[in-house]
Amino acid sequence: MKKSALLLILVFVSILSFAQQKLTKDEQKLIELIDKNYKETLAQLEEVININSGSLNKEGVREVGRVFEREFQKIGFQTEWIELPAEVNRAGHFVATRKGTKGKKLFLIGHLDTVFEKDMPFSPFTYLNDSTATGQGANDMKGGDVLVLASLKALHQLGLLNDRTITVYFNGDEESSGNADISRKDFIERAKLHDIALGYETAQGFSTATVARRGASGWTLKTTGRQSHSSGIFREGVGYGAIYEAARILTEFQETLSGEQYLTFNPGQFIGGSDVSFNEISGAGTALGKTNIVAREAIVTGDLRFLGEAQKEAARAKMREIVAKNLNQTQAEILFTDGIPSMAPTEGNYALAETLNKVSMDMGFGPVKPGDPGSRGAGDISYVADFMDCLDGLGASGTGAHAPGETINMKQFPDLIKRNTILLYRLTR
């Protein structure tokens, strides 16, 4: 047994030594710096997690921004706060920049806000065991933000950011952007000045990179029928009523489109009766009606997720066709609203994933494979995916994002920082 254990140790040391031989001296020094700085990195992680920064808690989002402002200024970045118009009702965005003439120009994306608003029960940074911690936004995505800072700090300490162009853009409202046309305008304009965008949303796993993200949009279905006594339903002069018409449409959506790869459409609310009302801002609705009255009105709201504009438009066309048929004595209309675009799985994105894979293999961490293009929902990186090569899912790993008890994998966190640091180093040479 002792000989077997010793043999395993020797094999591990041999593999690690072989991996280190594939790293340059600067790269090895970067890894050493990540370890040296790690205690401070953990303190920064705890500090930002312990600040409530729900999207609508503008002061909380701004406070998290001040923490990063303080830290990025220490490592030679110019920082600014992007204010948004009052009507957007969001805090704004944090931006840190360095400009140079060498290497690829990188645009690094994160967000300061979480889904946990100030009036929700608070969950501070807490270790559950030696490899897992919990806290609001731990993996979505304050862990990713701190990871970016830790990587750039090590690069700065070795003078490896000199004469390089890097923009760090942490949005303050990714979880609820208000008016995206306004709140993402500066974000998109700045991104266009760069060569590569890297997103630090939650990692799907240590061995997976995100080369594509589905887009998200909304739809509202409104149906009307002839209000009448329920005993006459289905007759020629009474018809089917608004609820049956809405049910027909939803059933045909499901039967016609549900088998298409990467496409999903979910009815999230269904309100029907003789009189209905719906507040589009709050999402609240009411319905009045009786069992002996044929429903006069129905409203259904939902989302549509897709990969590529062509798939979105084709789905919308089919949905409009289904809505136009109409049961007897009913009418229907469907309205679509754009949300976050999709990030298509381009050759350039796959090439970036291969670069990350090479880094991981050289470090002895094993291969990194591109994830399923349909496995991830919408994200901020999708707004700029048409303009440059992109890679996402580079942030912290964990479980339970958007839910009480959200966790971060503390065992993987330092290695994710190290791998990202070497990736940034190689991209900017």
Side-chain angles (χ1 to χ4, degrees):
M1 289 292 290
K2 290 183 178 179
K3 289 183 178 180
S4 297
L6 179 60
L7 180 60
L8 287 173
I9 292 171
L10 290 173
V11 170
F12 176 77
V13 171
S14 177
I15 293 173
L16 184 62
S17 176
F18 178 73
Q20 289 178 339
Q21 290 175 13
K22 295 187 176 183
L23 301 180
T24 67
K25 289 183 179 180
D26 280 341
E27 290 173 341
Q28 291 178 22
K29 290 178 181 178
L30 286 169
I31 291 173
E32 293 170 3
L33 271 176
I34 297 300
D35 286 331
K36 182 178 179 181
N37 297 336
Y38 193 61
K39 183 177 180 180
E40 186 175 355
T41 299
L42 291 181
Q44 291 157 355
L45 178 66
E46 182 173 0
E47 181 178 9
V48 294
I49 287 176
N50 286 345
I51 301 170
N52 177 277
S53 58
S55 304
L56 301 181
N57 179 8
K58 291 185 284 186
E59 180 50 40
V61 172
R62 186 68 182 88
E63 187 176 350
V64 175
R66 292 188 191 101
V67 173
F68 286 110
E69 179 182 46
R70 178 192 76 206
E71 298 302 324
F72 275 97
Q73 286 180 358
K74 290 179 182 178
I75 60 173
F77 279 77
Q78 297 293 317
T79 64
E80 58 185 305
W81 187 258
I82 307 301
E83 298 284 355
L84 295 175
E87 63 266 25
V88 179
N89 194 31
R90 296 297 186 273
H93 315 307
F94 169 77
V95 180
T97 57
R98 290 183 68 137
K99 295 183 179 180
T101 61
K102 297 180 179 178
K104 296 290 187 181
K105 299 175 182 178
L106 305 185
F107 191 71
L108 311 184
I109 303 169
H111 64 84
L112 306 171
D113 64 319
T114 75
V115 299
F116 304 100
E117 296 297 342
K118 196 173 182 179
D119 58 355
M120 296 179 180
F122 183 67
S123 176
F125 180 81
T126 306
Y127 275 95
L128 301 178
N129 52 55
D130 60 354
S131 62
T132 308
T134 187
Q136 291 179 349
N139 70 64
D140 188 16
M141 66 166 293
K142 292 178 178 178
D145 297 337
V146 171
L147 183 153
V148 171
L149 172 62
S151 289
L152 294 174
K153 179 179 179 178
L155 288 161
H156 168 75
Q157 288 173 320
L158 290 183
L160 298 174
L161 294 182
N162 295 341
D163 205 18
R164 264 66 184 184
T165 296
I166 295 178
T167 295
V168 177
Y169 207 115
F170 290 169
N171 286 310
D173 57 5
E174 193 270 352
E175 303 292 4
S176 177
S177 62
N179 185 330
D181 289 339
I182 298 174
S183 65
R184 293 298 175 271
K185 186 175 185 294
D186 180 77
F187 176 80
I188 294 170
E189 289 177 353
R190 290 184 191 241
K192 290 179 179 179
L193 302 176
H194 298 74
D195 301 310
I196 293 171
L198 301 176
Y200 291 85
E201 287 276 13
T202 308
Q204 287 186 303
F206 194 78
S207 301
T208 303
T210 300
V211 294
R213 298 189 74 122
R214 293 194 298 161
S217 63
W219 51 269
T220 300
L221 171 68
K222 297 181 180 180
T223 63
T224 57
R226 182 176 179 184
Q227 184 172 326
S228 184
H229 196 289
S230 64
S231 63
I233 196 166
F234 310 139
R235 293 177 184 171
E236 182 66 26
V238 175
Y240 286 75
I243 291 178
Y244 267 120
E245 171 67 346
R248 173 198 69 82
I249 292 168
L250 294 178
T251 299
E252 288 198 41
F253 284 176
Q254 183 268 323
E255 292 176 345
T256 305
L257 295 169
S258 63
E260 186 171 339
Q261 188 179 30
Y262 305 137
L263 183 72
T264 59
F265 41 94
N266 176 62
Q269 291 173 298
F270 194 135
I271 308 164
S274 56
D275 293 278
V276 304
S277 65
F278 177 68
N279 186 314
E280 294 183 1
I281 297 176
S282 67
T286 60
L288 297 175
K290 292 184 177 181
T291 58
N292 61 353
I293 297 177
V294 176
R296 181 165 56 89
E297 297 180 287
I299 297 176
V300 185
T301 65
D303 74 353
L304 177 70
R305 295 178 184 267
F306 53 91
L307 192 60
E309 289 298 299
Q311 185 176 52
K312 181 190 77 174
E313 292 303 328
R316 287 180 174 183
K318 190 63 179 179
M319 293 168 80
R320 289 189 185 99
E321 180 183 328
I322 292 169
V323 168
K325 293 177 180 179
N326 302 139
L327 293 171
N328 182 35
Q329 299 290 346
T330 69
Q331 292 183 319
E333 65 172 340
I334 189 166
L335 304 173
F336 294 99
T337 56
D338 284 326
I340 301 177
S342 68
M343 167 182 159
T346 66
E347 291 183 8
N349 296 358
Y350 278 106
L352 279 176
E354 180 53 37
T355 299
L356 178 63
N357 176 64
K358 179 68 164 55
V359 169
S360 190
M361 295 295 290
D362 288 351
M363 296 179 72
F365 287 162
V368 178
K369 301 296 184 182
D372 177 2
S375 65
R376 300 208 70 153
D380 274 336
I381 197 170
S382 299
Y383 285 107
V384 302
D386 285 345
F387 312 122
M388 65 195 74
D389 296 336
C390 298
L391 194 65
D392 204 351
L394 300 174
S397 57
T399 61
H402 289 204
E406 178 176 336
T407 69
I408 178 172
N409 187 323
M410 300 306 296
K411 185 176 181 180
Q412 292 181 352
F413 192 52
D415 287 341
L416 286 168
I417 297 172
K418 292 173 184 176
R419 190 166 68 188
N420 180 66
T421 306
I422 304 305
L423 175 66
L424 297 184
Y425 171 76
R426 293 187 180 182
L427 290 175
T428 52
R429 292 312 96 192

